[in-house]
Amino acid sequence: MEVGSVRCRSAVSAVLVAVGSMVGVGGAHAQEPQPVAAVVNQTVTVDGSRAEVTSIDGRQVTVRIHSAAMGREVSVKVQRPADSSVPRPSLYLVNGAGGGEDTATWEQNTDVVDFLAGKDVNVVMPIGGAWSYYTDWREPDPMLGVNKWRTFFLDELPVLVDTMFTTTGKNAIAANSMTATSVLQLAIAKPGLFRSVAAYSGCAQISDPVGRQFVNVVVGTGGGDASNMYGPPGDPAWAANDPVVNAEGLRGTKLYVSNGNGLPGEFDKLGDSHLVTWGPVGLANQIVVGGVIEATTRWCTKNLQNRLEELDIPATFDLSTQGTHSWGYWQKAFKNSWPLLAEGMEIPA
């Protein structure tokens, strides 16, 4: 289903309700008890940023990081591979608009973390940065504070993870919804850091009126002011951070991008385990609100696809004929993208 810009603008107005209502608790997935995870260094410090292990639960290690760039503490969960006797690569599994601070996380709403428990990979799951787009903001925000998340993801977190756990240094990154935009921005900003990138149901373009309004609504849902991020409309910073405008920077990165079309599909039914809210009301919310968001992000995704084709940059696009902005589709998309993510990290799928 193609969505015109006029229709997208009206659809975006519904996203304010949508973004807040689509977060919540899905089915938690308990893991089998595992041996204590191997941690090479309990505490590391690099260029003023510091990481220390605060807890170990089986193979899951919780690390507290002091970000020198932001002057704040950030928690990061790291699931260690079953065999950590040799260096392993790292997959950065990024949560959506709530930044993992709420219940809308991969761990609580999908079986992806359990799926990855059988893979030879460190799974790095940052917690924090809700509604921030994981970018470096121009000004501190009265509600969201100091945001230098791009610096954190590119210059602080990877080196601390690599030092603490002795990894191979071969990274991949995957994200859904708001942060699907962010991971494309990160890949452009530092080519080669993430060898493969998967983005599910994101709006890659941010500098045109539709994309900018989408960003304003998402940031505003958390009480923030997007003008503190990239300035007022028309400021060059918007285009400078637009993945569609700067798609040339994605050349050489393995890319997987997916999106539904907003129409009800296989996971939009009563009793589905991925429903955020159980019952008819929860299903109606997923179909109506989730449908509006997904139709809007599909329009953005088609524009990214067209731009990459113009530039002759290879990418895998999965534009399913049906599907809403919800966890069942993201779980399926992640597993479909796993071979590409694994290829970038040079491990078997």
Side-chain angles (χ1 to χ4, degrees):
M1 179 179 71
E2 297 301 325
V3 184
S5 61
V6 174
R7 186 174 176 185
C8 277
R9 294 184 195 205
S10 62
V12 166
S13 65
V15 177
L16 179 59
V17 177
V19 173
S21 61
M22 292 304 291
V23 296
V25 179
H29 301 275
Q31 294 189 20
E32 294 288 330
Q34 300 289 347
V36 173
V39 180
V40 177
N41 299 297
Q42 292 282 336
T43 303
V44 296
T45 302
V46 179
D47 294 334
S49 296
R50 175 184 173 89
E52 60 181 329
V53 173
T54 58
S55 68
I56 299 176
D57 182 8
R59 286 165 52 194
Q60 191 165 102
V61 181
T62 301
V63 179
R64 181 172 61 238
I65 293 179
H66 172 75
S67 166
M70 293 188 287
R72 71 165 78 174
E73 308 298 309
V74 180
S75 289
V76 177
K77 291 183 179 180
V78 180
Q79 178 174 277
R80 297 288 274 144
D83 180 5
S84 55
S85 63
V86 297
R88 301 295 185 186
S90 299
L91 170 69
Y92 289 76
L93 185 61
V94 185
N95 294 300
E101 299 176 34
D102 53 13
T103 55
T105 67
W106 289 98
E107 194 170 20
Q108 293 198 50
N109 294 279
T110 73
D111 66 1
V112 165
V113 176
D114 288 343
F115 169 80
L116 290 168
K119 309 301 181 183
D120 291 328
V121 64
N122 297 288
V123 185
V124 183
M125 298 172 280
I127 303 170
W131 319 108
S132 71
Y133 272 88
Y134 285 141
T135 190
D136 283 3
W137 286 42
R138 176 177 295 178
E139 302 287 346
D141 188 82
M143 180 62 68
L144 302 181
V146 175
N147 292 294
K148 296 295 181 184
W149 290 99
R150 179 173 298 178
T151 298
F152 177 77
F153 269 90
L154 298 183
D155 301 327
E156 295 182 316
L157 181 58
V159 67
L160 291 170
V161 168
D162 291 347
T163 303
M164 178 166 279
F165 298 106
T166 310
T167 73
T168 64
K170 298 170 183 175
N171 306 314
I173 193 166
N176 63 307
S177 194
M178 177 194 81
T179 54
T181 305
S182 308
V183 297
L184 295 170
Q185 292 173 320
L186 293 171
I188 292 169
K190 196 166 187 177
L193 177 60
F194 302 108
R195 297 181 169 206
S196 46
V197 175
Y200 321 112
S201 303
C203 186
Q205 64 189 77
I206 64 169
S207 60
D208 74 302
V210 173
R212 190 172 60 249
Q213 180 61 15
F214 195 92
V215 172
N216 285 335
V217 169
V218 173
V219 172
T221 301
D225 182 351
S227 66
N228 292 321
M229 182 167 65
Y230 295 138
D235 191 292
W238 286 91
N241 289 279
D242 188 320
V244 176
V245 173
N246 299 282
E248 177 61 38
L250 294 170
R251 192 179 298 278
T253 301
K254 298 181 185 301
L255 297 171
Y256 182 99
V257 185
S258 69
N259 226 108
N261 67 357
L263 295 178
E266 61 181 303
F267 299 109
D268 300 298
K269 57 188 177 183
L270 285 174
D272 187 83
S273 61
H274 303 96
L275 282 176
V276 169
T277 304
W278 291 95
V281 173
L283 177 60
N285 180 71
Q286 180 165 299
I287 290 174
V288 177
V289 177
V292 168
I293 301 176
E294 198 69 3
T296 305
T297 58
R298 182 184 177 89
W299 182 76
C300 299
T301 298
K302 282 293 295 181
N303 290 339
L304 175 64
Q305 183 182 33
N306 292 339
R307 181 59 179 151
L308 291 174
E309 288 177 353
E310 288 174 1
L311 296 170
D312 196 24
I313 295 176
T316 299
F317 277 82
D318 177 9
L319 302 182
S320 302
T321 56
Q322 293 179 309
T324 59
H325 202 75
S326 50
W327 285 103
Y329 300 101
W330 296 329
Q331 175 178 291
K332 182 178 180 179
F334 178 87
K335 292 179 181 179
N336 288 341
S337 68
W338 172 246
L340 179 141
L341 293 168
E343 183 182 357
M345 294 182 288
E346 299 183 7
I347 58 173

